[in-house]
Amino acid sequence: MRDTLIVTSTPENLMPLGSPAQRSFDLVTGVVADRIGADHAALFAEPVLDARGTSIDWHAPRAGQAMPLSDLASEEATEVKLRLSDMVARILAEAQALREIGGADQLRLAEALENAMEVPGQDQVYVIRSPDGGLDPVLVHWAWLRQTRAPVRGVLSAMVPRASAPGAASVGAQQGTHPGLWWLLGLGWLALALMLAAIWWLSLAPCGLRLSGPNACAPDPAEIAAAETDHRIAADAVAALEREIALANRQCHPVVPLTPAAAPEDKTELPQPLRRFARIGRPPQEAAHIFRADLPLPGVKVMVMHNQADQGASRGPGIGISR
């Protein structure tokens, strides 16, 4: 029923939620009217596309004057927000109930109701002022979000406080009538503290700690002396083994025999003339008689020379060899 034209808009920079069947006005309003009531179904404006599909006319199901929520005075805006909060909470609770029932159809209906509670922004919330002065909230572009990289959800939930779930007040009242519950919680915390203290106390003994100080459980001096003696004995045994290893390592080295010096060459093996020449230390006169020019030395000529000093003193004969 199209009674009041609220606004004409375009879907530019907007993206729809769910399938076209889930965004059906008849489906959403029919489920809400059947499961909650006609007043809650009147929260959704009816979209009407033009022939080209470039704009959408949004119609309210009731007669009255349409205006944005932001145009209301603060007192009236607060009243509308409180009513809107109750309606949104009731529809979302019904969607959760459908999810708990399970089944493919129920899940699709639950998703359709949850998507219907999403709008691109607060400017999509309008108010219909009826002739008798009543104020009724109505949503346009419901089940749509802004086409951005991270579209914002929960605009309605953030704009108004979430209504308390049915039965929450009664539960709080019941808790208030039973102060003994706080005593039970206190006793539970006390038992936990005592258990932690016992664990801490029992963990001191393995660490050698007592309330009198960290050295309250000092070991026996006799045990310390015995341990030091064992350490010294072990050190002496290690040193003896190291000496034995060093001696064994030294015995494993090969012995290099010393090579005796070569015996001097036997002069008797020299030819007869050279053996005569080897007689060093005899007077030159005797050497002059030994080496003569007629000795059978092949290719060797022996010359006996007599050198005289500048002042006429004779230094004796000299010997020269030429080939």
Side-chain angles (χ1 to χ4, degrees):
M1 178 180 179
R2 305 172 188 174
D3 292 335
T4 304
L5 175 64
I6 301 175
V7 67
T8 300
S9 64
T10 61
E12 185 178 2
N13 297 327
L14 299 178
M15 62 178 182
L17 296 176
S19 63
Q22 289 177 317
R23 296 192 305 272
S24 171
F25 173 76
D26 294 333
L27 174 66
V28 174
T29 57
V31 172
V32 173
D34 292 341
R35 302 183 67 92
I36 303 176
D39 291 342
H40 289 70
L43 178 63
F44 304 98
E46 181 180 2
V48 179
L49 289 173
D50 64 351
R52 294 178 297 178
T54 57
S55 63
I56 305 175
D57 292 335
W58 296 91
H59 295 267
R62 56 170 57 96
Q65 180 185 0
M67 65 185 69
L69 177 63
S70 58
D71 292 348
L72 294 180
S74 58
E75 296 80 4
E76 294 179 337
T78 301
E79 179 184 353
V80 173
K81 287 181 179 180
L82 290 176
R83 185 177 179 187
L84 178 64
S85 173
D86 180 73
M87 299 174 72
V88 170
R90 186 69 182 88
I91 295 174
L92 291 177
E94 192 62 31
Q96 182 62 30
L98 289 172
R99 285 189 176 275
E100 293 176 356
I101 294 174
D105 294 339
Q106 285 75 14
L107 292 178
R108 282 193 293 268
L109 289 177
E111 185 178 2
L113 294 182
E114 291 171 351
N115 292 338
M117 292 293 93
E118 298 291 344
V119 292
Q122 297 184 11
D123 55 346
Q124 308 301 320
V125 180
Y126 283 79
V127 177
I128 303 298
R129 187 186 295 273
S130 61
D132 57 357
L135 298 174
D136 298 310
V138 62
L139 303 178
V140 302
H141 271 300
W142 46 270
W144 289 73
L145 291 178
R146 297 199 183 278
Q147 192 172 7
T148 59
R149 181 174 300 179
V152 178
R153 286 177 174 267
V155 172
L156 298 178
S157 302
M159 184 178 62
V160 294
R162 187 180 298 274
S164 301
S170 61
V171 172
Q174 292 178 2
Q175 291 181 353
T177 57
H178 295 284
L181 179 62
W182 297 105
W183 286 101
L184 293 177
L185 293 176
L187 291 176
W189 283 109
L190 179 60
L192 178 61
L194 292 176
M195 182 176 63
L196 293 176
I199 293 174
W200 173 77
W201 178 265
L202 294 176
S203 64
L204 293 179
C207 299
L209 298 175
R210 288 293 186 271
L211 295 179
S212 58
N215 296 325
C217 299
D220 188 3
E223 296 180 358
I224 297 177
E228 293 178 351
T229 301
D230 294 341
H231 175 71
R232 287 194 295 270
I233 293 174
D236 294 340
V238 171
L241 291 175
E242 290 178 350
R243 287 194 297 271
E244 292 180 2
I245 292 173
L247 292 176
N249 189 24
R250 185 179 303 172
Q251 293 176 1
C252 291
H253 290 172
V255 179
V256 180
L258 298 176
T259 305
E265 187 179 358
D266 191 0
K267 295 181 181 181
T268 58
E269 299 298 331
L270 297 175
Q272 185 66 26
L274 295 181
R275 288 200 303 270
R276 292 180 181 180
F277 180 72
R279 296 171 63 185
I280 302 173
R282 293 190 178 185
Q285 294 82 3
E286 186 176 354
H289 291 287
I290 293 173
F291 297 96
R292 297 191 299 276
D294 57 350
L295 291 176
L297 294 174
V300 179
K301 183 178 180 180
V302 180
M303 295 180 293
V304 178
M305 298 175 292
H306 295 274
N307 299 327
Q308 294 188 4
D310 297 340
Q311 297 179 1
S314 174
R315 293 185 178 181
I319 301 174
I321 301 176
S322 64
R323 294 183 179 274

